[in-house]
Amino acid sequence: MRRKGLPKEEVLSSIRSLREKDVPWSRVLNSICTRPHPLAVEAFQAGIDTNLGDVRIFRGTHDIERRAVALMGTLLGKESCAGSLVSGGTEANLLAMYVARKLATQRRGGLTGPPEVIVAETVHYSVQKIFDLLGLTPRTAPVDKRLRMDVKAAEALVNERTIALIGTAGTSEFGSVDPIEALSQLALERDLYLHVDAATGGFIIPFARELGHPLPRFDFSLPGVTSITLDPHKYGLVNVPAGAVFFRDPALQSLISLDSFFARTPTHRTFLGTRPGGAALATYAVLEHLGWEGFVEATRTNYDTMGYLLDRLNARGYSLLLPPELNIAIVDLPAAVQVMELLERWDWIISVSKRYSNCLRLVVTAHVTRPVVDAFIDALDGAMTELGLVSCGTD
Ligand SMILES: *Cc1c(COP(=O)(O)O)cnc(C)c1O
């Protein structure tokens, strides 16, 4: 640290010039997060001095958190579900697994062997961190041709050490939606905890269903679903850090009971202690302002742009690895890594899955408009030509 501080203007100008290194949103096709809704930014600033780790002080902010949770509860088919705002999908999944493990320990009076959780191959990598922290062993079920969990194979993995199943409503890698209804059935039959990770799909599927897209239910209307992760900071259009976790039964949330030192302070029900109330204000503000119809419109726009992207790719002769369910396109392309690297040098950011390395992954969200798609297709063609690869047709 400097002994003598710098003038404010100098500090701000160095931040500005460093931020110029960040790639502008208009050249980003790999990110599920997006430029936040302007009202989220305003509301976040209005709560910049708040800390939800101390709800004796921030009573009103706490009230706003409760309201944001209730609003998302209606989205999940159960207004009365218990939930908390957290830092993101990772913390939400962590809390769900923490509860699943506690519940299993209580029920069985101590676990007999190392506890296991059944997941699909496509489960988000955040759960690997969580399993390491909580001492859980993953049992991995394969996926079908549409990259959805094979529930029959999952069922075959159930044994006396199984404490939970995780289904994903919209994998971040491919946007595929696991058969949550069948998982719910399995959870009921075998008396298992079912966690649904809807970090990517939670703010798409309810609205897309209304628009007639053939997507399955994934929420508390399915009786076997125990807990759900949502990520307002993805398709919820809120700024980072805004995640959320929900439990069907408030008694389950009460298993998260982490005390502070001080008398008359409520127990913490999140992993973080000090946590930003601004995220609660921003989430509440965007949900109230857009309402159901606003999110339906945002979803319609994303699917329109997605359709446009697919048409343009198709006309240029590119093909998809699988038909997309959400707003993620997987383009079959040998040399995908080379194409990605060259585009990155040109300040275009896309991704390539490590497991399926011959395809490009393109995410459509709020900042990806038709002009962005047009510019991207030109860049992609440019990269193909530069690399001496055949770009296919003309449109
Ligand atoms: C993004 C994501 C996560 C992790 O959430 P963070 O907000 O990055 O912590 C977990 N699961 C899925 C399906 C996701 O898309």
Side-chain angles (χ1 to χ4, degrees), residues 85-101:
L85 297 187
V86 295
S87 53
T90 304
E91 189 187 352
N93 289 341
L94 171 68
L95 291 172
M97 287 302 103
Y98 177 81
V99 166
R101 199 187 61 169

Side-chain angles (χ1 to χ4, degrees), residues 32 87-91 93 124-126 168-172 197-200 229 231 233-234 242-243:
I32 299 186
S87 53
T90 304
E91 189 187 352
N93 289 341
H124 192 264
Y125 57 80
S126 60
T168 306
T171 60
S172 59
D197 181 355
T200 290
T229 289
D231 244 355
H233 67 206
K234 290 179 178 162

Side-chain angles (χ1 to χ4, degrees), residues 32-33 72 84-98 123-131 133-134 166-170 172 193 195-203 227-236 238-247 270-272 279 283:
I32 299 186
C33 296
M72 287 187 274
S84 302
L85 297 187
V86 295
S87 53
T90 304
E91 189 187 352
N93 289 341
L94 171 68
L95 291 172
M97 287 302 103
Y98 177 81
V123 75
H124 192 264
Y125 57 80
S126 60
V127 306
Q128 194 51 58
K129 304 180 189 173
I130 293 160
F131 292 166
L133 288 170
L134 294 178
I166 300 180
T168 306
S172 59
Y193 186 111
H195 177 62
V196 176
D197 181 355
T200 290
F203 277 96
S227 57
I228 302 177
T229 289
L230 286 186
D231 244 355
H233 67 206
K234 290 179 178 162
Y235 284 89
V238 179
N239 55 296
V240 178
V245 63
F246 299 86
F247 298 91
T270 52
F271 186 65
L272 296 190
T283 304

Side-chain angles (χ1 to χ4, degrees), residues 110-185:
L111 292 161
T112 47
E116 296 181 357
V117 178
I118 297 171
V119 298
E121 278 173 62
T122 46
V123 75
H124 192 264
Y125 57 80
S126 60
V127 306
Q128 194 51 58
K129 304 180 189 173
I130 293 160
F131 292 166
D132 281 352
L133 288 170
L134 294 178
L136 303 173
T137 304
R139 296 298 307 274
T140 307
V143 290
D144 63 18
K145 284 206 281 299
R146 296 290 301 272
L147 305 179
R148 299 168 180 154
M149 189 181 206
D150 177 340
V151 178
K152 278 266 165 296
E155 183 167 11
L157 295 171
V158 177
N159 64 46
E160 67 287 351
R161 294 182 300 279
T162 309
I163 64 155
L165 305 162
I166 300 180
T168 306
T171 60
S172 59
E173 217 173 346
F174 309 108
S176 48
V177 183
D178 287 338
I180 308 296
E181 194 150 356
L183 284 171
S184 162
Q185 200 89 61

Side-chain angles (χ1 to χ4, degrees), residues 219 224 314 379:
D219 61 16
N314 187 37

Side-chain angles (χ1 to χ4, degrees), residues 333-395:
L333 191 69
V337 173
Q338 279 170 277
V339 172
M340 178 192 78
E341 285 171 353
L342 180 55
L343 284 173
E344 187 158 337
R345 272 193 265 134
W346 295 345
D347 289 343
W348 279 97
I349 310 293
I350 60 170
S351 41
V352 170
S353 157
K354 282 187 195 161
R355 287 183 287 188
Y356 300 83
S357 55
N358 58 345
C359 54
L360 303 180
R361 167 181 172 273
L362 306 173
V363 179
V364 171
T365 180
H367 64 269
V368 180
T369 57
R370 284 181 180 227
V372 169
V373 169
D374 287 335
F376 171 71
I377 296 284
D378 288 346
L380 178 60
D381 277 349
M384 296 290 283
T385 308
E386 179 99 0
L387 292 167
L389 302 166
V390 190
S391 136
C392 344
T394 47
D395 66 325

